[in-house]
Amino acid sequence: MVTENQSLPVQDRLVLVPTALRALVRRSEIWLVLLACIIGALSGVLVAAMTAVAQFLHQVLFGISATEHLSGVDSLPNKWFVVVPAVGGLLLMAVTWAYRRYRSNTPVDPIEANALHGGKMSLIDSFYIALQTMISNGFGASVGMEAGYTQVGSGTGSAIGEAFRLRRSDLRLLVGCGAAGAIGAAFAAPLAGAFYAFELILGTYTIAALAPIGLAAITGVVVNSLLVEPAHTISVTSPIGLGQSAVTTLLLLGLITAGVGIAIMRGVTAVEDLFKLSKIPVWLRPAVGGLAIGMLALITPRILSSGHGALSLVLDDSMPTLRALLILLVLKAAASAISLGSGFRGGLFFASLFLGAIVGKAYVAIVALIDPALAPDPQIAAIVGMTGLAVAIIGAPLTMAFLALETTNDLPLTIAVLCTAVVTSVAVRKTFGYSFATWRFHLRGEAIRSAHDVGWMFDLTVRRLMRHDVRTIHDAISIRQFRQEFSLGSTQRVIVVDDQERYVGIVLVADVHSPTLQDDKKTIQELLRYKDLALLPWMNIKEAAQKFDESESEALAVIDGNATRKVVGLLTEAHTLRRYTEELEKARKDLAGDR
């Protein structure tokens, strides 16, 4: 006898949840909020564990102390350490090979999961991504850990949500809770974590989502703070003045960070293309990229890993020279592009903060050469620059503004940061149109611009919408025979096929019965419409609607393929639009929190 839990898919059986408890969570918002807190707490634990593993690898592989950051050391203790990233690349490919022997599916990230899959993520795949991220960062690749944090946090939320068999909207919400807890824990910034979930993982802000997302971010921060030292807090020693010249100067910095962000995103793609053109085997590319990173580390180890230690040095009161800043900017950007382009796993979240701080201080040095009176405070410009570049690459202006507020505790500075973030966001959207995540989706051919739930469009296919009981006639039939078989008013249209049962067009009954049509001995071939327009079963509802717009037809035939052209059904525009409207209304209710 098969029990209820035994009949569930494997991932649902990871956590066995009694029926009564599932019902409580599905019916009550309070229980859903409690579940969100649990997910936030688990995210905080996972972030602490991943951070500890990466730091341990830095200590063992590069010989640094437990109190040091890898990117904060002045030089590598031994020149042989330059091969460590290459070894990490080989280990990464070995792990990838072993994993793919048992799993053939491609892991999805939280944005893709919420946009296309209704929040469904594989917990096993998420831990695999986390392992790849720890290896990449731990062996010195110039990537951040934040992508791994959000992946494993969101994957945990999705797995728990599926175990409770939650609705599609609630499952997507728990994915956001996992990400909020992870980012909040990583930066000790619950507001930034919450709005990261709203802007990037859910794609929208709603009152109904505030309690679970906000509390998940808070519990993530609290639990993480009990396990590790609190994140670095930036102390702003110079008061900011919001005069016209200061605001104008900082807004110009926002435009510059937009351009730098676009250049970095295109740079990663360019490096990937170069590796493809080089004919280097895929399994060897991370090792080659790692060797290049190691060689750059001989110039300065500031380019290694996420950049936490290097960021602290850049934000220090001591002002580096313009030449040193520009060299570090180029080397760190190149190292990040090489790391991701060669196949290391990670993200650009913290790298964008670090690079933005460099851009801010370099900007001050350049302005000071032109007119010292116009140069803003270097520390303030660094914070504005790091926020602007992060907005350009990550695409979350409110998240970055709240991150500045929570790390500096300076409200006037946050106002300046928010203004700059808006300028940067608009500039990138108008000139480039993508954040780093959505740019990667675009390169893969996915039409995803945000985490808005569009998966139902892909699930709602022509095959599910069409009528199957469709009568056809042959194109050799005469107009007289047609009139005898189909009287005026019996039906609106008839699908026509040739002698090999292939689709050739549609005949409108009203056309055949037109009084102006005198010669009824002719065949109906002269009255055929939409000869080259037909739907395919696997088209989604959006593609079907576009076909109706192109043809200006009220109904189209559905054929099994362009080669065989066998008629398998009929779909009307009215039914398509009605189902589309129903799904939009359902999505609207989900956003409004109607349970």
Side-chain angles (χ1 to χ4, degrees), residues 311-334:
L311 177 62
S312 298
L313 295 174
V314 169
L315 292 175
D316 191 80
D317 288 337
S318 60
M319 181 64 186
T321 64
L322 177 59
R323 180 174 179 272
L325 287 169
L326 293 178
I327 290 175
L328 182 56
L329 174 64
V330 172
L331 292 179
K332 178 62 178 179

Side-chain angles (χ1 to χ4, degrees), residues 5-49:
N5 285 325
Q6 288 173 332
S7 65
L8 295 176
V10 173
Q11 186 168 328
D12 286 349
R13 282 190 265 125
L14 293 175
V15 181
L16 302 180
V17 180
T19 303
L21 184 55
R22 290 204 310 268
L24 282 175
V25 174
R26 287 175 63 88
R27 287 198 305 262
S28 172
E29 184 177 353
I30 300 300
W31 282 91
L32 184 65
V33 169
L34 179 60
L35 197 60
C37 291
I38 294 172
I39 292 170
L42 290 174
S43 296
V45 172
L46 291 169
V47 167

